[in-house]
Amino acid sequence: MRPLRAAQDEAGLIAKLERYDAYRNAPASGRGNAARAPRSHWQETYAGPSLERPFPPVLFVFAPAPRRAAPTTREAVFHERARRVGSVNYRLTVATTTLPLLTHDRADGRVWRVIGNGHGEERRALAALPKAR
């Protein structure tokens, strides 16, 4: 694997993560309703009537690929870079896993590793992921 290719791949994933953050904060696209507090575009489109529903977690799965580092290595590199995105661990819950873990333990198993300070290497079940604020 060429290191430049890995850096390009990780940069693309970080850019995608930043777009999720921008989407989370995008203002509503309609004229609104005077009887209801303004809501962001994602709340207007997906959250339904509840203003308390948090933004869903952003999940990344790292799969084996020819001429690339192992999924666990790519996952670790992504964690290091994603910690620098300001909204991670505050406005966005971001978790990762590898395809071999996901295949073996299934999505509801303890396969998800949360990005952010204080979460360490612990893997959690999907239902146990922290909620975004």
Side-chain angles (χ1 to χ4, degrees):
M1 182 178 108
R2 297 185 338 245
L4 180 58
R5 174 68 184 195
Q8 290 171 338
D9 291 344
E10 299 309 320
L13 290 177
I14 295 298
K16 183 177 278 196
L17 188 56
E18 289 169 340
R19 286 192 301 272
Y20 274 107
D21 184 41
Y23 177 69
R24 182 197 180 283
N25 295 312
S29 56
R31 289 178 36 197
N33 180 340
R36 187 183 70 217
R39 300 181 337 156
S40 68
H41 177 67
W42 85 266
Q43 286 175 318
E44 195 67 40
T45 307
Y46 297 106
S50 174
L51 286 176
E52 280 76 44
R53 183 175 293 172
F55 192 77
V58 179
L59 306 174
F60 289 90
V61 178
F62 291 89
R67 296 186 302 247
R68 295 207 181 157
T72 53
T73 302
R74 292 179 22 238
E75 181 185 31
V77 169
F78 180 70
H79 271 252
E80 286 302 315
R81 294 190 71 182
R83 283 188 188 109
R84 297 181 204 133
V85 176
S87 59
V88 171
N89 199 33
Y90 175 64
R91 295 184 303 223
L92 290 176
T93 297
V94 181
T96 62
T97 191
T98 64
L99 187 58
L101 270 175
L102 191 60
T103 302
H104 183 265
D105 295 337
R106 307 181 66 72
D108 57 348
R110 295 175 58 94
V111 299
W112 300 102
R113 186 172 158 217
V114 178
I115 294 175
N117 297 331
H119 295 294
E121 299 294 316
E122 174 189 2
R123 296 218 180 245
R124 303 170 183 219
L126 192 58
L129 294 180
K131 303 292 183 227
R133 295 178 239 162

